[in-house]
Each structure stands twice: as structure tokens, then as C-alpha cells.
């Protein structure tokens, strides 16, 4: 769709944005362009493509027509100007930080993050000479205090894993803004249907498209969306974007590409040299899933609300963290941050602690015990013994993954079947 098309609703855009009937064949569905390379018209065309003077296809580590449709679809749904798809959500996180960071730089991040992200940020990025400072994002003064001259970004999850906590995106964006650095939001668990972080001031949005965006647990993928709103030239903090980039024969990305600087850098340098590319088959699965995103999210939320309320009223359960419950300290943030609902991911504490949690997980019949979320199937995991196992007890507690809690990702099955399943398993777990 071009700029002069009317602004369609989400339900229309999730099906049509970025796609048009295939110009070669008229195929209505986006073909899977299973090709590594693309023939240049002539030597001049090839040179223009390599100089980024013309946009086109060279080699599928950089760009691929099927992946390009997904990139445009996600960018549109998030209200961004461009997007780069990657091989996984974790790849997207590295791709988001890569143009911003240098050895010695740090990123200020929320303590409430996906377990794998905690490990990536607290351990692995150190090998690049980067570091992360973990802060409670409900403590705005602490966030401000953590930002120093070497901070290059602030990072948090809109609806945070595993507890379903809701971030005050606007308040954190204002702090990042005042410090002249971008806010990166991981919007995996909310999806753009429930939350649009760019409207709340985020600069970049990252996704694990492995989860709700694909929606059925078939492929891993990730995406970085750029709002196009950050002024990379306002300071000397982001030389890869504002200064001649030595990794691309001295091209000045911000000057040349304006609001698309980050996206072009992500493709021309990030994908080219890090190679964390999404493959066209994977993009196809995610394009299939994304067509029904809003329909699925509505049902996910409806089921999560029913189940969280049922669990909260049950005396075998100590507490439920779902932000959609009136008892939640995050309930008041829903109307601003995610007006269509608080998602479908939360934790609950089982009376009987660690042992009872393990028994519960093993006794469920519909819920699957897996390290995933955002599937049409309901999923459960005992975070402390699995995804958050590498964390210290303090980190587990801060992340909302204490030993007495289980995390559920509520699927789109019949809510009453799910409640019956939880009921029988809780009976066994607390017997
Ligand atoms: C799964 C997940 C990731 C990592 O994504 P992968 O696709 O597994 O690499 C990052 N953030 C959140 C919130 C996730 O749920």
C-alpha cells in the first residue's frame, strides 16, 4: 500500500500491509521466494544496489522479497517507518543494540525480563565490551540515576515476562528522551494489537515473532522496528549512524537515509556482517499467523481474564500476577498502555511451593509443559527450575520467577476446559 491509501484499521492491515498480488504471476498469497541471489540487470544496476543508491535484491542474507513483506507488515502494525526481520527474538535484541553500542557502553534495562534476555544482557553481551544495568522500572528515580555518559539505550518489556507486569512506557520514554538516548521496547508479549510502544514514545520495538505474531509455535523469528523519530545526529553518541561508517565505505547513514537510517544500517551492516537473517520459509509461516493476530489476541485475553479470576478465587492459590485483575498494582496502567487487554501471560503461586508447582505441571493434561509462550495451545512452565534456572535467587525473585510460582501462557482453547484441567491438577498438586 502506498502513502496515499487511507489509514486502514488493524484488522485490514494485518492481512494486507506490505503485500500485493505477485507482479510476476498474480499469485494472491505472498510467494515463498526460495532464492539466495537475484540477477542484476547489468553491471550499473549491480553497482547502484551495492552503493545503496537503488533499493533492490542482492543476496538473501540481506534482503528477500518474502521477508520484505513481513518487514513492512510489522512496521505498519507498530506504526514504524521500517523493520528488519531476524532469525530469532534474541537476534533482534542484538541487532537493535548493535548500531548504538561500542565497547565500554551500557544499556539500562528492566529487572523484569524474559529469562533468556537476562542471561544475554548480564553475561553474553560482556564479550562485546557492552554491559547492562538492571533497574526496577517502577522506580523512575532509579532509572534516571542509572543512566550515565556511556548509556546508549534503555530497554524494557511492555508487558513483562513472566508476571505480565505492565511498564509505564511513557514515563520511561520521557526519561530516555531527556537523556538523549533511545528507548527500546520488547513488545513480544503484548503484540502491536494490545500495545503500540511507538505511540508512547519508544524509539525502537523488538519482537520475538516466534510467539504471538506467528502464534502457533512453528518457527523462531525476530524483528526490529524503527519509529524513524530519533535524531541520531543530535549528539556524538551514535557514530555508526551519525558519522561516516567505516564498515560501509564511509557512508553517513543518518544524513543519507534520514528517518530510515537505522533500518538501512540494520540491513546493510547488521545483517550483512552478523548474518542473523530470517529465512523466507520462516517469514511465510509468520505471515500466515499474523493475518489472524487480532482475532487470536482477543480470545487469548478473554480466556486469560476468565482463568486469572478463577485462580484468584481458589484457596489452593496464594496469588495471581495478572494485570487484568483489579487487585493488580498494574491494573490502572492497562487503559493507557494496553487498552485492549493485559495479554495472556501471568504467573500464579501454588500453596505448597516448589514441590506443588512441579506436581501441578506434571498433572495437567491440556496445558503443555514447554519453554515457549504465545501459542494457540495453553502452555505452562515452572520458571525457577527451567527458563530462570541460570539466575540467582535474588534475580529470580526480582524477575517474578520465585520457586513457588508457575507461569502460564493462556491459549485460545475453551476456557472452561482449561479451568477444569487446572482444577484437577491443583487437586493433585495440593493433596
Ligand atoms: C521468547 C522471547 C524472547 C526471545 O525470542 P526467541 O525468538 O526465542 O529468540 C525475547 N523476549 C521475550 C519477551 C520473549 O518471550
Amino acid at each position: 500500500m502506498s502513502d496515499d491509501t487511507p489509514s486502514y484499521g488493524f484488522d485490514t492491515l494485518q492481512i494486507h500491509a506490505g503485500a500485493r498480488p505477485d507482479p510476476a504471476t498474480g499469485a494472491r498469497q505472498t510467494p515463498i521466494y526460495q532464492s539466495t541471489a537475484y540477477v542484476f540487470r547489468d553491471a550499473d544496476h549491480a553497482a547502484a544496489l551495492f552503493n545503496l543508491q537503488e533499493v533492490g535484491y542482492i543476496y538473501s542474507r540481506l534482503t528477500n522479497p518474502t521477508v520484505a513483506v513481513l518487514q513492512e507488515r510489522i512496521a505498519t502494525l507498530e506504526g514504524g517507518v521500517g523493520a528488519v526481520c531476524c532469525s530469532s527474538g534474541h537476534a533482534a535484541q542484538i541487532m537493535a543494540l548493535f548500531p548504538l553500542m561500542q565497547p565500554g557502553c551500557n544499556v539500562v534495562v528492566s529487572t523484569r525480563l524474559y529469562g533468556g534476555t537476562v542471561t544475554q544482557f548480564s553475561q553474553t553481551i560482556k564479550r562485546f565490551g557492552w554491559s547492562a544495568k538492571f533497574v526496577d522500572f517502577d522506580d523512575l528515580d532509579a532509572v534516571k540515576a542509572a543512566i550515565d555518559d556511556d548509556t546508549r539505550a534503555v530497554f524494557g518489556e511492555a508487558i513483562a515476562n513472566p508476571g505480565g507486569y505492565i511498564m509505564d512506557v511513557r514515563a520511561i520514554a520521557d526519561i530516555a528522551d531527556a537523556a538523549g538516548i533511545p528507548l527500546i521496547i520488547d513488545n513480544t508479549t503484548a503484540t502491536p494489537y494490545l500495545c503500540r510502544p511507538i505511540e508512547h514514545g519508544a524509539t525502537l520495538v523488538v519482537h520475538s515473532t516466534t510467539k504471538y505474531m506467528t502464534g502457533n509455535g512453528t518457527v523462531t523469528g525476530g524483528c526490529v522496528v524503527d519509529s524513524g523519530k530519533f535524531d541520531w545526529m543530535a549528539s556524538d553518541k551514535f557514530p555508526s549512524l551519525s558519522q561516516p561508517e567505516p564498515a560501509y565505505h564511509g557512508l553517513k547513514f543518518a544524513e543519507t537515509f534520514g528517518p530510515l537510517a537505522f533500518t538501512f544500517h540494520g540491513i546493510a551492516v547488521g545483517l550483512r556482517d552478523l548474518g542473523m537473517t530470517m529465512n523466507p520459509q520462516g517469514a511465510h509461516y509468520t505471515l500466515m499467523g499474523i493475518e489472524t493476530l487480532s482475532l487470536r489476541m482477543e480470545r487469548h485475553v478473554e480466556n486469560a481474564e476468565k482463568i486469572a479470576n478463577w485462580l484468584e478465587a481458589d484457596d489452593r492459590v496464594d496469588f495471581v500476577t495478572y494485570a487484568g485483575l483489579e487487585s493488580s498494582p498494574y491494573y490502572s496502567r492497562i487503559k493507557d498502555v494496553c487498552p485492549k487487554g493485559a495479554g495472556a501471560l501471568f504467573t500464579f503461586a501454588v500453596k505448597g511451593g516448589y514441590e506443588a508447582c512441579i506436581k501441578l505441571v506434571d498433572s495437567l493434561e491440556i496445558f503443555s509443559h514447554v519453554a515457549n509462550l504465545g501459542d494457540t495451545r495453553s502452555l505452562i512452565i515452572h520458571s525457577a527450575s527451567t527458563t530462570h534456572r541460570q539466575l540467582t535467587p535474588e534475580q529470580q525473585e526480582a524477575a517474578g520467577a520465585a520457586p513457588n510460582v508457575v507461569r502460564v501462557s493462556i491459549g485460545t482453547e475453551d476456557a472452561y476446559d482449561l479451568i477444569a484441567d487446572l482444577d484437577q491438577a491443583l487437586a493433585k498438586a495440593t493433596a
Side-chain angles (χ1 to χ4, degrees), residues 65-309:
T66 311
V67 177
V69 172
L70 180 61
Q71 287 172 166
E72 195 176 330
R73 178 100 28 109
I74 298 175
T76 305
L77 295 179
E78 285 288 2
V81 294
V84 181
C85 282
C86 324
S87 50
S88 70
H90 269 6
Q93 291 168 190
I94 296 296
M95 285 282 293
L97 291 174
F98 177 67
L100 313 177
M101 304 286 277
Q102 312 258 6
C105 290
N106 68 70
V107 51
V108 169
V109 309
S110 170
T111 45
R112 298 189 190 88
L113 295 176
Y114 176 72
T117 305
V118 176
T119 310
Q120 187 187 57
F121 286 173
S122 61
Q123 304 299 329
T124 303
I125 64 170
K126 281 193 213 157
R127 310 258 185 113
F128 307 146
W130 310 344
S131 62
K133 297 187 187 181
F134 288 83
V135 184
D136 176 354
F137 272 26
D138 285 335
D139 183 345
L140 299 180
D141 290 334
V143 177
K144 271 181 219 157
I147 296 173
D148 62 30
D149 289 344
D150 295 322
T151 304
R152 292 292 177 272
V154 177
F155 184 104
E157 296 175 6
I159 298 182
N161 202 326
Y165 316 104
I166 294 175
M167 176 176 161
D168 186 345
V169 183
R170 171 58 65 186
I172 301 288
D174 287 346
I175 294 172
D177 227 28
I181 53 176
L183 170 64
I184 307 172
I185 292 290
D186 181 340
N187 204 28
T188 300
T189 53
T191 81
Y193 183 67
L194 299 181
C195 176
R196 306 228 312 162
I198 290 172
E199 288 173 4
H200 301 279
T203 301
L204 303 171
V205 177
V206 297
H207 276 281
S208 166
T209 56
T210 314
K211 314 292 169 53
Y212 293 105
M213 296 289 244
T214 305
N216 47 30
T218 45
V219 284
T220 57
C223 188
V224 187
V225 182
D226 181 17
S227 64
K229 291 183 179 156
F230 196 87
D231 182 1
W232 305 110
M233 299 203 281
S235 74
D236 58 4
K237 287 186 173 166
F238 306 103
S240 287
L241 296 161
S242 65
Q243 303 296 314
E245 168 60 279
Y248 214 94
H249 50 72
L251 187 71
K252 291 186 182 175
F253 279 81
E255 199 178 279
T256 312
F257 300 110
L260 282 167
F262 192 92
T263 303
F264 271 86
H265 192 279
I267 293 168
V269 182
L271 289 183
R272 186 196 64 185
D273 295 348
L274 301 175
M276 300 163 160
T277 308
M278 180 181 278
N279 67 71
Q281 190 80 40
H284 167 74
Y285 283 114
T286 303
L287 281 166
M288 294 301 93
I290 228 169
E291 293 189 349
T292 57
L293 180 63
S294 64
L295 310 178
R296 287 183 285 106
M297 292 316 291
E298 271 168 20
R299 176 62 72 85
H300 279 296
V301 167
E302 189 186 311
N303 280 357
E305 284 173 357
K306 283 182 187 150
I307 291 164
N309 275 293

